[in-house]
Amino acid sequence: GVPVLLHIFFFRSVASPPSSNFLLLGPSGAGKTAFTALLEVKSTPASKKSQTTHTSQTSTLITVTLPPSVPTGSNRYRSINDPSLKEATRNPIRYRLKDTPGHGKLRQTQGIAELISMSSSKDLKTKIRGLLFMVDTAALVDEATLRDTASYLHDVLLVLQQRALGKGKSSTKRDAEIPVLIAGNKQDLFTALPAEEEEVLGDDDGKGVFSFKLLEQVGIKVDVVGGAVKGDAEEEIGSGVRRWEEWIGMCL
Ligand code: GDP
């Protein structure tokens, strides 16, 4: 009867709620606000588009729809003939992205605090699935910017390293790993360092504690991928945010 029909209608018209949370960190000026705004625009149907503005002083939580052409980790091993994987028929896959302010004074109270809270959460609604750390690759030629960026990244990775080593925990069961993407933004600018050279950020140059390889030994996977929020509409290689969306897709 009618209730059954209504039931079916309801399930067809409402997309499943997003279940994965990604946290976006990085120094101010890296392009986090621009990236968040771009993803929001791309996820909004044309009929509902309106100019949204975000400030860089507070955290913003947005719900994003993964472009249907981006593969996800959970369907990676399925046959390409599987009809449920066809772009047009795939149910929209959504995730949440939390953008945080990158200004020096707000890092500990907002960015790092958010990371600690999301990485210790057991609740699916708030638990972190992946971490994006955005870097302005064109500004890294400036020594002060490089230092500042590296120091923020080190603080972030330290939180993950301590978590991976299970500091202060008696539990023997390891928490789920948190993959890290270093999103090397502004590859459209001619002063930009190639994304592969972002290893400079992870290099411990004999003094520090970190190298990306060391992190891998404790089970933290760090990927460095270049892109440009500005060039997203263009087809040029290395531009756009597609490869970051693919990284997110692999986490889903
Ligand atoms: P946030 O402080 O990390 O949120 O950085 P914003 O999103 O405010 O970006 C800082 C500046 O970089 C803005 O003027 C952006 O327009 C600019 N920007 C962001 N992404 C790109 C990019 O891919 N290429 C270039 N050339 N500029 C960018």
Side-chain angles (χ1 to χ4, degrees):
V2 175
V4 176
L5 279 175
L6 279 177
H7 189 74
I8 292 166
F9 178 73
F10 180 78
F11 274 95
R12 289 227 159 157
S13 58
V14 180
S16 57
S19 56
S20 297
N21 295 295
F22 292 84
L23 180 63
L24 178 59
L25 301 177
S28 59
K32 301 181 299 301
T33 310
F35 181 51
T36 308
L38 174 71
L39 289 181
E40 201 167 28
V41 166
K42 283 172 58 152
S43 302
T44 313
S47 56
K48 287 188 185 164
K49 276 197 169 76
S50 67
Q51 201 52 47
T52 47
T53 46
H54 297 300
T55 71
S56 307
Q57 299 295 308
T58 54
S59 293
T60 315
L61 181 67
I62 61 160
T63 297
V64 188
T65 306
L66 195 70
S69 58
V70 173
T72 62
S74 48
N75 67 27
R76 199 171 6 178
Y77 303 110
R78 277 202 255 154
S79 157
I80 48 162
N81 297 318
D82 185 336
S84 70
L85 301 184
K86 288 234 178 75
E87 287 182 22
T89 57
R90 187 176 86 177
N91 283 329
I93 291 167
R94 301 193 300 158
Y95 60 92
R96 281 183 291 249
L97 181 77
K98 186 167 252 180
D99 174 25
T100 58
H103 190 270
K105 284 183 212 142
L106 302 172
R107 284 177 192 171
Q108 290 297 329
T109 54
Q110 303 216 25
I112 299 277
E114 198 69 68
L115 174 62
I116 292 171
S117 136
M118 287 173 80
S119 62
S120 54
S121 172
K122 301 273 179 259
D123 185 351
L124 266 182
K125 275 197 198 127
T126 48
K127 196 176 170 165
I128 189 169
R129 183 68 201 92
L131 173 70
L132 288 81
F133 188 93
M134 188 166 275
V135 168
D136 176 346
T137 55
L140 292 182
V141 289
D142 175 56
E143 175 100 30
T145 307
L146 176 63
R147 260 172 214 283
D148 178 60
T149 304
S151 107
Y152 189 15
L153 180 60
H154 285 188
D155 288 349
V156 166
L157 295 176
L158 184 62
V159 171
L160 296 183
Q161 193 186 43
Q162 286 178 337
R163 179 180 177 274
L165 294 171
K167 253 197 180 168
K169 264 196 271 168
S170 52
S171 162
T172 46
K173 192 178 166 288
R174 278 257 218 95
D175 287 323
E177 64 181 71
I178 300 169
V180 179
L181 172 70
I182 299 184
N185 192 26
K186 308 199 191 180
Q187 290 281 300
D188 58 308
L189 297 178
F190 77 98
T191 51
L193 275 180
E196 312 84 66
E197 282 184 34
E198 233 91 323
E199 287 285 337
V200 293
L201 287 172
D203 196 15
D204 60 14
D205 61 303
K207 284 176 268 156
V209 209
F210 289 101
S211 76
F212 293 148
K213 289 219 169 55
L214 218 71
L215 287 164
E216 271 172 29
Q217 286 170 17
V218 295
I220 301 171
K221 198 173 175 308
V222 181
D223 288 308
V224 184
V225 178
V229 175
K230 277 278 169 73
D232 193 61
E234 289 139 40
E235 298 292 307
E236 242 173 276
I237 297 174
S239 79
V241 301
R242 171 76 188 197
R243 291 169 70 209
W244 302 335
E245 291 179 315
E246 287 172 355
W247 183 89
I248 290 170
M250 281 300 128
C251 297
L252 297 172

